[in-house]
């Protein structure tokens, strides 16, 4: 619910101010599309399977679920990587202006991200790698445990970890460390003249927002990656079902964080959300206090 409502609000505000969107903000929209796509295509089936205490739909739905998870997961990771690189380039440019990056360039980059993600998602369907159920039985993903005695599967896992996880994560960390060093040096120079321009404050806020988005994603998926990597070299029976279930649920929660980060750090997003509330008639319920004495519900929401 949080994922769908939050990311729908992000997409609604993006559509409303589409003509004013800067080039890097297209990546934010793409990230919201990937998050809401994961929630709509996967979560209902996982919830129904949880209530059923067993996977629903057989092998076909299992492959579908795993493919969607891999597609949107890789897309989110590569989008975050692209955001980090663009933020690094903008911060280190002579004029810190995100409009210097053409929108067409970012659109081409987004197209490449989706094609790259789709390529990795369909590789297990054509024989390189496998899809299968999770050890706890109510979710599906890459069949990590099948790679013990399979050189084909192991080469897929190794390549996927390097090209879809390790290298993007290292790129993200390196870019933000470079940005932090650049901002630190800039602030040292600014403090000498006892003046911090608004542009520098905005740059710092945008960078912090991007860092928190990346940290939220990486920290959510790290336990799942660790449990999956353990399953490659050890039997899945060596892990209790709860030890495989909790990292999977924690990874799913990554789709709900970003709208909260936007709401905290972006005045524009907060303003657009309030306007959306007003358009939908929510403002009367949440913000009206004129008749709070006669309307206990209104008084409760106002409080």
């Amino acid at each position: 619910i949080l994922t769908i409502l939050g990311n729908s609000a992000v997409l609604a505000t993006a559509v409303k101010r589409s003509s004013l969107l800067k080039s890097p903000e297209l990546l934010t929209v793409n990230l919201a599309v990937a998050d809401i796509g994961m929630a709509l295509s996967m979560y209902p089936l996982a919830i129904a399977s949880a209530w059923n205490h067993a996977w629903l739909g057989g092998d076909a739905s299992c492959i579908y679920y795993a493919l969607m998870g891999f597609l949107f997961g890789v897309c989110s990771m590569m989008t975050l990587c692209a955001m980090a690189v663009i933020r690094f380039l903008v911060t280190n440019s002579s004029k810190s202006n995100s409009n210097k990056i053409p929108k067409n360039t970012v659109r081409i980059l987004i197209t490449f991200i989706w094609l790259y993600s789709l390529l990795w998602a369909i590789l297990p369907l054509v024989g390189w790698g496998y899809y299968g159920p999770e050890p706890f039985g109510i979710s599906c993903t890459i069949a990590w445990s099948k790679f013990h005695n399979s050189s084909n599967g192991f080469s897929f896992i190794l390549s996927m970890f390097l090209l879809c996880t390790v290298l993007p994560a290292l790129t993200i960390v390196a870019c933000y460390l470079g940005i932090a060093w650049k901002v630190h040096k800039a602030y040292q120079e600014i403090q000498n003249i006892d003046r911090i321009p608004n542009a520098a404050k905005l740059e710092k806020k945008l960078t912090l927002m991007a860092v928190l988005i990346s940290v939220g994603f990486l920290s959510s998926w790290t336990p799942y990656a660790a449990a999956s990597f353990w399953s490659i070299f050890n039997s899945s029976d060596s892990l209790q079902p709860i030890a495989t279930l909790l990292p999977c649920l924690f990874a799913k929660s990554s789709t709900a964080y970003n709208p909260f980060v936007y709401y905290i750090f972006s005045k524009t997003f907060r303003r657009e959300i309030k306007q959306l509330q007003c358009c939908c008639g929510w403002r009367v319920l949440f913000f009206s206090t004129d008749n709070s004495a006669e309307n206990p519900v209104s008084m409760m929401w106002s409080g």
Side-chain angles (χ1 to χ4, degrees):
I1 292 173
L2 289 176
T3 297
I4 293 173
L5 291 180
N7 288 286
S8 295
V10 173
L11 295 179
T13 57
V15 170
K16 186 177 179 181
R17 53 188 299 269
S18 57
S19 60
L20 301 176
L21 287 179
K22 297 178 181 179
S23 301
E25 290 180 306
L26 295 177
L27 291 171
T28 302
V29 174
N30 191 58
L31 191 60
V33 170
D35 287 344
I36 201 170
M38 183 177 288
L40 292 175
S41 64
M42 298 170 58
Y43 295 176
L45 187 55
I47 293 169
S49 297
W51 281 104
N52 188 54
H53 299 279
W55 181 252
L56 294 174
D59 293 340
S61 64
C62 185
I63 292 174
Y64 158 79
Y65 183 94
L67 187 145
M68 291 294 105
F70 200 17
L71 171 66
F72 291 120
V74 174
C75 180
S76 297
M77 185 65 167
M78 300 310 297
T79 301
L80 290 172
C81 183
M83 289 172 63
V85 172
I86 290 180
R87 185 112 297 277
F88 178 80
L89 294 176
V90 169
T91 303
N92 286 273
S93 62
S94 56
K95 293 183 179 179
S96 183
N97 184 359
S98 57
N99 288 325
K100 291 179 65 176
I101 302 175
K103 282 190 176 181
N104 285 337
T105 301
V106 178
R107 291 190 183 102
I108 293 172
L109 179 60
I110 290 174
T111 302
F112 172 78
I113 288 172
W114 281 103
L115 291 176
Y116 183 82
S117 305
L118 182 61
L119 172 65
W120 279 100
I122 64 176
L123 284 175
L125 301 181
V126 297
W128 195 30
Y130 314 95
Y131 286 135
E134 299 270 16
F136 51 85
I138 56 171
S139 180
C140 291
T141 184
I142 297 171
W144 308 99
S145 59
K146 287 187 178 182
F147 301 140
H148 288 88
N149 303 315
S150 170
S151 58
N152 173 46
F154 186 78
S155 63
F156 171 78
I157 286 294
L158 184 62
S159 301
M160 186 273 294
F161 256 96
L162 287 176
L163 298 177
C164 298
T165 306
V166 176
L167 287 180
L170 290 177
T171 301
I172 291 171
V173 172
C175 286
Y176 288 130
L177 286 177
I179 292 171
W181 176 253
K182 178 76 174 180
V183 171
H184 173 70
K185 297 297 289 184
Y187 267 67
Q188 281 187 331
E189 297 174 1
I190 291 170
Q191 287 172 0
N192 291 335
I193 59 175
D194 198 26
R195 184 171 61 89
I196 300 177
N198 290 332
K201 294 179 181 179
L202 178 60
E203 194 67 37
K204 185 178 180 180
K205 181 181 290 187
L206 291 174
T207 300
L208 181 58
M209 184 174 70
V211 168
L212 289 177
I213 291 170
S214 299
V215 168
F217 183 86
L218 293 176
S219 60
S220 298
W221 281 93
T222 296
Y224 181 78
S228 300
F229 205 71
W230 173 270
S231 300
I232 297 173
F233 301 101
N234 301 274
S235 172
S236 58
D237 296 333
S238 61
L239 290 175
Q240 294 294 324
I242 193 70
T244 56
L245 174 61
L246 289 181
C248 184
L249 294 177
F250 195 48
K252 286 181 170 63
S253 71
S254 66
T255 58
Y257 299 151
N258 297 340
F260 292 99
V261 177
Y262 303 146
Y263 191 85
I264 293 171
F265 286 91
S266 175
K267 291 181 180 180
T268 302
F269 185 61
R270 288 199 298 271
R271 184 173 63 250
E272 295 292 341
I273 288 296
K274 289 179 180 179
Q275 291 178 358
L276 284 176
Q277 290 175 344
C278 184
C279 293
C280 295
W282 300 348
R283 191 174 183 84
V284 174
L285 180 63
F286 281 94
F287 298 102
S288 175
T289 57
D290 295 337
N291 59 346
S292 57
E294 296 113 5
N295 191 344
V297 176
S298 177
M299 182 172 65
M300 178 183 70
W301 281 114
S302 299

